[in-house]
């Protein structure tokens, strides 16, 4: 019968097929694009890649161009400069009222990176590498972790110190960590630095943590701790916030000692390659990478696919290829710069009101050489041309707003220059970089430079009563800057020097906070700018005083400690919110 | 990762591995034997004397019906009527029953008896009870369905003239919720969800394919499986299944050559009204500055000159410049359909070409489709199908979102072109976003070309067992290949400004802003699926009992291989090739993903006298995305139907044609939300930017989420009850469905046990659960009055989802519960502040008892929004938020109204479609005028508050800079939307047969159609600015309105 024949052949063929489709019918597939956990701690290159990610995730300076966390944000918060033109979104972030929802743009809560560092420290210590390699990388990571805690403690006060990765199956009471006190966090930073300083190298490649970076962090952190004790001294939330006033001296001393260890090592000095031209020297300080002032930097090199965007943000309108004129300093910071002979830099408001015609040379060019290297003002020289800011040109009785007057005088500057604050940021710019684009700027960012350590040292010395040292070191800074020496020293003079020397280095806002003068200065403050009319026949300018921001600023007492925010409070019953939110 | 086989795996192997081979072999052997033994007719074994029968089949109007199937009941023997409706057939005996069936007509049965000539008049199936409906892995008569299945046929679909198949379903069926947000050529998909469940599984001829790239003219029908009817698809069917079936030939069908052509004119449904005269622009600009005490940039004298508008103070309408009023679209389709006694075929070729409303020729979408569906019988018991389809698409654009943004950010003071120069002018004089002109042209800015090629092939062999009537087996192999190449070019280009006094043209800026964004990007995506399948079917009637059973196994083997590469900072702007880039910025990446799935499924359908119907299905599914322990899932379903109208006690009710009660229950799954291979621990490599230490650039590695070894798919339990009623021969038809679905094991990031200080992102776990409930109603009325046939059909769907458990903290404070907690709340809702008008003077601000800004109202200005202090603590805080309206997703309420009328050769179809119970958020530049120096809307001019100029304005005062106070999420901006759209109007004329027959034309009709003709919505002042289905913001390409002329001719 047919059927039997068929079945016979069918069975025969079936038997000949070996294990039908075991390979084809396969449900055990694996992802093809991941490196396994086990592989990482067997290969030094992968370990370096791991630590590179920890470095990378730390915002050493604000690096984004046009987001809330933009490159000029911290200066914006400190009322140094406006972030972008007032019709652009980032301009509003420093004006926001920081409330119970969190601190938005300047928030920082890097527990993911801390966990990543904690995992690294544990795993590397168990790995089978050369012990020196292990010790160095662990020490480096402890620095990075401490730096993150420093960035948190200056925002929130006490935060939870977590030094080991928490287990997934840990009980809630273990996972819901409470906050450590502000003092504990500062002390943790100090003790961590003390522990790793003996291990870290004296010298390391640019970009890698060395012994002096650790000392610099300690100098900086102790300065902050001392300030909190000295200028606030109160305790809140059962000691989570604040450091008793009586402990100020100890912290000043720690900062002083750390700074002194750097100074006395003799490894660093103030950049002074162009002694005859202090303005150009100061400009080059941030450009020249062969520079004895660099203690710890973030390295940029577009040729290695990592460039930054300071140039494209800051470059004046006339010299831009694409963006530009985004970092607009307020008149308030302009006036902080003394005249070259040491006179205070304020411009007489009555003169401005009275249609006085100003001579640019006497009102701007004749200032602290650092001013010339920090700020673009009307007719600043740049790349063989000039930067203009005037809105109109007056010739006799005619007002001209477009075209040219004579052969080469533009009747009005570009809109972005003339309608903003009347100044632009020049510091950290490289005059040899033509038409910077996004991520084409290559200047390394100096996280810690020697000049800052000298100022830390001077400030700590002041509160320790070592007036002679204060004067010596402040004058070292002024001498390099090309400014007259001070004969005596005051708290105000130290703060003034710090402001002008370190402006646009993400410093002022944090200083105002730790000195506890931010609420006096910033609350209700309406920043100012200038509008210029150029008088052609007189070769002089009429100044019109204008508001720099679209609204006044707020800085209330509660803002000395930023809010953790409702969601963080909601997900951990042991976290307490800072007062006032 | 190999582990001991779990039981289902063994089971699967038993069924799948061995059975497939056995059955394949058996079928091939049968085939061989059959071929070897020649074409023996099995019925010839039965030595009966045959009786010849002849006859003619016609419709009630008397016209002969060609192509009617005449079959001897219970066999496969039969004939098909010829052109004049005539047939001849030999029947074995006088007890033989002849069955006459024809699409669109009721089946008729006649016992031969003594008749030798049987003339039959077929009655049109107005109600469609006999309609054959495509269901999962098969077809079923509509009257026998036990589940909630909605269908739409090609004649209805062809009234919608879209070239994108996803646009066909708007307003057509109950239970189908749609939303079309964009009209951009090639990106104008309508999102479709069944009962608000989320993305459904869409199968084209049984295979997962891109719905949007199927040529609508090639679609025969679309079925939507809404309840347990989808369960046969197991782990992916929980959101419902859409089955798209393409056209096929049929045996003994005279060849039909059809050419379909239409030409459309398209325009924006909503063209935002921006201020296009510089006078008012600058007037408002200065007002915005003055409102926040900034120094006015322009003097009143200057503004007056711009108002006057002569000479250099001329205004330019950038919207007008950037968009054309009408853009063309055309579509061609040529097909051949037919069949001999052994072979049938449908072969089609389609071409679609759509231009954009953007006024450069570089924005378009083109598509070629080729489809060949061939069925043939090899022997009497062995048949095959070979289905091949190919599509090639080309979407061209220069970057829609950015360009649309730039148009809004163009200023009327900026000229659209320079006299005597072809240099590209800047469109904004404030130094940002000044690149509209170049932005729309590929040869200036570069652009994106996306070219997907899709090939699908299926070969299927089917064997009818001669020794067991009704039993058949089949094997098939599906092959799907997709290659999608995307090439993006970004050139660096320049914009210029002209000095109005001197005429001098100077460089204003170069784009893109960064060296790394100028270059060539190529992405080459390749995906291959191989899917063998076997099935056994049994379909037979035993007296009063009918049984229809199916058992199948499928295996899916997928490989995705994606290579993308780019190079930047090219040597030349004119030579855009990979090799010309700067070596620093070369980048090359590859992604390979292998995955597989295996399934076995079965279904038994039982009917008793066509009165009691029951169905049960099961499916075992496994996916390699899940860990071995949780890989397998079992998904059963049950459904039953009771045709009350067939009961004896109902037989006297002549007016009732059909009354059926249905109920179903199913357990299904959904695996598409799952993050693939999340049960592995590992690191990803991140290449850019590297971290630099000294001279070295370190690539970085980042750990993934903590692995979850227990992850599996979502589970869903569906309940459905339905009632179908047809009365008075179609005068009233009702379908009512009620449904409830519970989803559990929805993947969510665990929250409860981990505070923010934990520091690791946990991979998702099967934690959340929600339920959906709703009902559907479909009412229709079909009638003929004199020579006018007309139909009215309304569909209505309500569906709402609620979180049962949403992974979140255990909230204790009342505020947290009200504002944050989702468990127990509707999914579709928005939380925000409650507004209470505007502050209309400084005095009102000063007198306000409520601290609005937590700064003593010092930051407020007149014209700012006033928020309600809900908790009465005197200060607006986070805790003053509450429920302010529906969410901004899909509407919870959908409705459609389909009107049709036919008179002589004329046919008119009108389709209305609408939605309600969802929200839109006025955002972007509509909320914040002048942001990035953009152009405000006319509405801002008319409605903005100003103490003296416009004291009754309803919108906040204009200001320079974003006022965060006004930008808060609140009911000021959130609009609950209800809309009704005249979705489609189609007027066709069918030329009478007597005119066209002499020219050997079978059918000729012409039509004019309009899509998206009008919409009414409750958007108030924003009604004319925004399409209610699209985001209420500036950077969206609005949907198109189209007017279409078309012709269909069949030879």
């Amino acid at each position: 019968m047919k059927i039997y024949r068929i079945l016979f052949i069918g069975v025969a063929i079936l038997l000949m097929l070996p294990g039908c489709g075991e390979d084809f019918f396969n449900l055990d597939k694996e992802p093809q694009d991941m490196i396994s956990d086990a592989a990482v701690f067997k290969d030094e290159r992968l370990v370096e890649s791991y630590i590179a990610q920890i470095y990378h995730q730390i915002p050493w300076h604000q690096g984004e161009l046009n987001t809330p966390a933009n490159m000029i944000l911290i200066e914006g918060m400190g009322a140094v400069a406006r972030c972008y033109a007032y019709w652009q979104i980032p301009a509003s972030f420093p004006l926001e009222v920081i409330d119970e929802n969190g601190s938005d743009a300047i928030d920082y809560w890097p527990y993911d990176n801390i966990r990543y560092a904690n995992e690294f420290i544990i795993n590397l210590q168990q790995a089978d590498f050369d012990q020196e390699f292990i010790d160095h990388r662990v020490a480096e990571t402890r620095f990075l972790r401490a730096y993150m805690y420093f960035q948190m403690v200056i925002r929130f006060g006490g935060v939870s110190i977590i030094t080991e990765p928490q287990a997934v199956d840990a009980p809630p009471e273990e996972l819901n960590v409470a906050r450590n006190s502000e003092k504990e966090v500062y002390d943790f930073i100090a003790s961590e630095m003390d522990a790793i300083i003996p291990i870290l190298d004296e010298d390391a490649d640019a970009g890698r943590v060395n012994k002096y970076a650790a000392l610099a962090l300690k100098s900086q952190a102790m300065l902050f701790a001392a300030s909190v004790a000295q200028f606030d001294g109160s305790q809140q939330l059962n000691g989570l916030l604040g450091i008793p006033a009586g402990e100020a001296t100890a912290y000043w001393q720690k900062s002083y000692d750390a700074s002194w260890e750097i100074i006395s090592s003799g490894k660093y000095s103030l950049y002074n390659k162009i002694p005859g031209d202090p303005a150009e020297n100061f400009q080059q300080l941030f450009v020249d990478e062969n520079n004895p002032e660099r203690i710890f930097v973030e390295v940029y090199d577009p040729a290695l696919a990592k460039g930054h965007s300071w140039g494209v943000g800051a470059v004046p309108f006339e010299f831009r290829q694409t963006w530009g004129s985004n970092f607009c300093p307020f008149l308030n910071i302009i006036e902080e710069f003394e005249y070259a002979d040491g006179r205070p830099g304020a411009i007489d408001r009555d003169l401005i009101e009275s249609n006085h015609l100003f001579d640019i040379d006497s009102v701007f060019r004749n200032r602290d050489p650092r001013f010339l290297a920090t700020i673009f003002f009307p007719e600043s020289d740049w790349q063989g041309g000039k930067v203009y800011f005037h809105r109109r040109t007056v010739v006799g009785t005619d007002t001209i707003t477009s075209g040219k007057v004579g052969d080469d005088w533009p009747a009005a500057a570009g809109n972005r220059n003339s309608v903003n604050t009347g100044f632009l940021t020049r510091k950290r710019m490289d005059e040899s970089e033509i038409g910077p684009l996004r991520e084409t700027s290559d200047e390394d960012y100096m996280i810690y430079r020697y000049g800052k350590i000298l100022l830390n040292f001077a400030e700590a010395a002041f509160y320790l009563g070592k007036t002679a040292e204060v004067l010596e070191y402040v004058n070292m800074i002024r001498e390099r800057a090309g400014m007259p020496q001070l004969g005596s020293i005051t708290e105000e003079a130290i703060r003034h020097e710090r402001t002008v020397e370190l402006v646009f280095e993400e410093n002022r806002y944090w200083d105002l906070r730790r000195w506890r003068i931010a609420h006096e200065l910033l609350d209700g403050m309406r920043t100012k700018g200038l509008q210029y009319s150029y008088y052609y026949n007189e070769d002089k300018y009429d100044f019109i005083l204008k508001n720099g921001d679209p609204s006044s600023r707020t800085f209330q007492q509660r803002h000395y400690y930023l809010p953790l925010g409702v969601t963080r409070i909601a997900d951990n019953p042991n976290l307490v919110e800072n007062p006032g939110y | 990762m190999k582990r001991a086989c779990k039981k289902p795996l063994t089971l699967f192997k038993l069924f799948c591995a061995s059975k497939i081979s056995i059955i394949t072999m058996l079928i091939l052997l049968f085939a061989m034997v059959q071929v070897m033994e020649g074409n023996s007719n099995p019925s010839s074994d039965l030595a009966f004397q045959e009786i010849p029968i002849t006859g003619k089949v016609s419709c009630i109007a008397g016209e002969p019906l060609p192509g009617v199937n005449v079959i001897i009941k219970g066999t496969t023997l039969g004939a098909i009527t010829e052109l004049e409706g005539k047939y001849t057939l030999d029947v074995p005996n006088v007890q033989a029953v002849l069955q006459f069936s024809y699409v669109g007509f009721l089946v008729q049965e006649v016992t031969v008896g003594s008749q030798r000539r049987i003339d039959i008049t077929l009655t049109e199936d107005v109600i469609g009870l006999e309609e054959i409906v495509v269901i999962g892995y098969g077809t079923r008569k509509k009257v026998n369905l036990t589940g909630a299945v909605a269908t739409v046929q090609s004649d209805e679909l062809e009234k919608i003239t879209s070239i994108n198949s996803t646009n066909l379903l708007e307003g057509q069926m109950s239970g189908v919720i749609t939303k079309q947000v964009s009209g951009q050529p090639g990106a104008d998909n309508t999102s479709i969800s069944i009962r608000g469940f989320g993305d459904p599984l869409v199968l084209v001829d049984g295979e997962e394919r891109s719905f949007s790239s199927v040529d609508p003219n090639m679609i025969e029908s679309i079925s939507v499986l809404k309840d347990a009817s989808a369960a046969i698809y197991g782990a992916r069917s929980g959101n419902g299944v859409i089955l798209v079936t393409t056209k096929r030939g049929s045996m003994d069908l005279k060849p039909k050559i059809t050419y379909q052509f239409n030409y459309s004119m398209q325009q924006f449904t909503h063209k935002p009204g921006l201020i296009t005269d510089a006078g008012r622009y600058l007037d408002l600009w200065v007002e915005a500055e003055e409102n926040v005490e900034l120094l006015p940039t322009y003097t009143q004298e200057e503004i007056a000159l711009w108002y006057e508008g002569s000479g250099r103070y001329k205004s330019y309408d950038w919207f007008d410049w950037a968009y054309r009023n009408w853009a063309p679209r055309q579509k061609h389709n040529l097909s051949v359909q037919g069949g001999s006694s052994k072979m049938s075929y449908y072969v089609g070729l389609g071409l679609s070409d759509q231009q954009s409303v953007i006024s450069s020729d570089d924005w378009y979408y083109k598509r070629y489709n080729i489809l060949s569906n061939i069925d043939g019988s090899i022997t009497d018991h062995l048949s095959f199908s070979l289905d091949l389809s190919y599509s090639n698409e080309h979407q061209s654009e220069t970057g829609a979102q950015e360009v649309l943004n730039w148009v809004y950010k163009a200023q009327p003071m900026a000229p659209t072109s320079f006299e005597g120069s072809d240099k590209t002018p800047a469109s904004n004089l404030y130094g940002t976003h000044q690149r509209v002109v170049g932005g729309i042209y590929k040869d200036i800015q570069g652009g994106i070309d996306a070219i997907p090629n899709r090939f699908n092939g299926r070969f299927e062999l089917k064997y009818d067992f001669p020794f067991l009537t009704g039993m058949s087996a089949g094997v098939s192999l599906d092959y799907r290949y997709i290659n999608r190449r995307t090439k993006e070019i970004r050139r660096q280009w320049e914009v210029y400004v002209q000095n109005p006094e001197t005429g001098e043209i100077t460089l204003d800026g170069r784009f893109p802003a960064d060296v790394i964004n100028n270059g060539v990007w190529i992405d080459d995506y390749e995906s291959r699926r191989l899917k063998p399948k076997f099935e056994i079917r049994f379909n037979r009637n035993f007296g009063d009992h009918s049984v229809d059973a199916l058992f199948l196994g499928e295996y899916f083997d997928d490989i995705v291989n994606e290579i993308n590469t780019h190079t930047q900072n090219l040597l030349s702007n004119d030579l855009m090739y990979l090799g010309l880039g700067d070596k620093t910025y070369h980048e090359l990446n590859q992604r390979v993903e292998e995955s597989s799935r295996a399934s076995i499924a079965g279904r038994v359908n039982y009917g008793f006298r066509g009165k009691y119907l029951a169905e049960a299905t099961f499916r075992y599914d496994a996916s390699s995305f899940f860990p071995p322990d949780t890989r397998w899932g079992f998904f059963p379903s049950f459904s039953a139907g009771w045709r009350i109208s067939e009961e004896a006690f109902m037989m006297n009710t002549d007016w009732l044609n059909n009354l059926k009660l249905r109920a179903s229950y199913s357990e299904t799954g959904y695996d598409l939300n799952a993050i693939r291979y999340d049960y592995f621990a590992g690191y990803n490599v991140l290449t850019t930017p590297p971290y630099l230490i000294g001279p070295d650039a370190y690539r970085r590695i980042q750990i993934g989420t903590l692995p979850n070894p227990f992850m599996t798919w979502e589970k869903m339990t569906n309940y459905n009850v339905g009632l179908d009623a047809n009365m008075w021969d179609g005068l009233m038809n009702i379908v009512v469905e009620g449904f409830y679905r519970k989803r559990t094991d929805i993947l969510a990031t665990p929250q409860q046990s981990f505070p923010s200080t934990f520091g690791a992102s946990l991979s998702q776990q099967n934690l959340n659960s929600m339920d959906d409930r709703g009902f559907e109603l479909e009412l229709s009325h079909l009638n003929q009055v004199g020579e006018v046939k007309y139909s009215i059909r309304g569909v209505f769907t309500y569906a709402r989802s609620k979180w049962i458990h949403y992974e979140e903290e255990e909230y204790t404070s009342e505020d947290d519960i009200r504002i944050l907690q989702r468990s127990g709340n509707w999914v579709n809702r928005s939380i925000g502040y409650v507004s209470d008008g505007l502050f209309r003077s400084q005095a009102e601000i000063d007198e306000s008892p409520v601290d609005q800004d937590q700064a003593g109202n010092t930051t407020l200005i007149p014209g700012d929004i006033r928020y309600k202090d809900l908790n009465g603590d005197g200060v607006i805080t986070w805790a003053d938020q509450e429920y302010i309206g529906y969410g901004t997703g899909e509407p919870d309420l959908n409705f459609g109204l389909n009107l049709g009328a036919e008179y002589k050769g004329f046919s008119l179809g009108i389709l209305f479609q609408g939605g309600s119970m969802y929200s839109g958020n006025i955002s972007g530049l509509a909320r914040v005028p002048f942001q990035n120096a953009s152009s405000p809307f006319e509405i801002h001019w008319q409605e903005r508050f100003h103490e003296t100029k416009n004291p009754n304005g309803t919108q906040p005062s204009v200001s320079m800079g974003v006022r965060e106070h006004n930008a808060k999420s609140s009911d000021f901006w959130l609009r609950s939307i209800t809309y009704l759209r005249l979705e489609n109007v189609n007027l066709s004329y069918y030329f009478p047969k007597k005119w066209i027959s002499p020219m050997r034309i079978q059918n000729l009709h012409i039509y004019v159609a309009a899509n998206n003709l009008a919409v009414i919505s409750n958007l108030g002042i924003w009604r004319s600015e925004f399409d209610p289905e699209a985001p209420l913001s500036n950077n969206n390409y609005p949907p198109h309105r189209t007017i279409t002329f078309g012709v269909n001719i069949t030879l």
Side-chain angles (χ1 to χ4, degrees), chain A residues 569-573, chain B residues 752 808-818 820-821 878:
Chain A
I569 298 301
D571 75 16
N572 180 350
Chain B
Q752 256 169 1
E808 58 199 342
E809 300 315 307
E810 271 178 47
Y811 297 115
T812 46
S813 93
E814 230 172 77
D815 293 332
D816 285 346
I817 290 169
R818 187 179 72 252
L820 296 176
Q821 182 167 297
W878 169 87

Side-chain angles (χ1 to χ4, degrees), chain B residues 860-1011:
Chain B
L860 299 192
I861 60 169
D864 276 348
I865 296 171
R866 184 203 301 265
Y867 298 108
K868 281 189 186 162
D869 179 22
L870 297 182
N871 59 11
D873 64 353
V875 55
I876 298 297
T877 65
W878 169 87
D880 290 305
Q881 298 177 92
E882 67 163 15
Y883 171 83
I884 53 169
Y886 297 108
T888 54
E890 290 176 342
D892 277 353
L893 204 63
N894 250 237
F895 37 90
L897 180 65
N898 204 334
L899 308 173
E902 285 172 34
Y903 172 71
K904 297 201 167 163
F906 290 96
S907 165
L908 175 68
I910 298 173
L911 176 64
F912 290 95
Q913 179 264 118
S916 185
M917 294 178 74
Y918 74 108
S919 293
N921 226 338
I922 310 283
S923 54
L925 302 180
R927 196 186 287 195
V928 187
F930 290 124
Q931 180 186 310
N932 278 323
S934 59
S935 284
F937 287 69
E938 283 283 348
I939 287 183
H940 293 127
W941 178 265
Q942 288 153 14
E943 297 285 342
R944 98 284 184 193
F945 169 81
H946 188 273
E947 268 188 282
T948 52
K949 293 180 196 162
N950 206 10
N952 296 320
T954 59
Q955 299 297 298
S957 53
V958 286
S959 66
M960 275 298 158
V962 183
R963 293 192 64 72
E964 296 290 338
H965 176 77
N966 292 337
K968 281 180 178 155
S969 164
S970 77
D971 64 355
F972 195 91
W973 304 113
L974 191 83
R975 301 294 173 106
S976 276
I977 302 177
T978 299
Y979 75 93
L980 179 68
R981 183 189 293 284
L982 179 48
E983 175 75 24
N984 199 61
V985 179
N986 185 311
L987 177 65
S988 304
Y989 178 68
Y990 291 78
F991 288 87
K993 286 266 189 304
K994 62 184 175 195
W995 295 2
I996 58 175
S997 288
M999 290 183 281
R1000 296 176 154 268
I1001 296 172
Q1002 293 188 44
N1003 170 43
L1004 172 64
H1005 84 261
I1006 54 173
Y1007 58 89
V1008 54
N1011 192 251

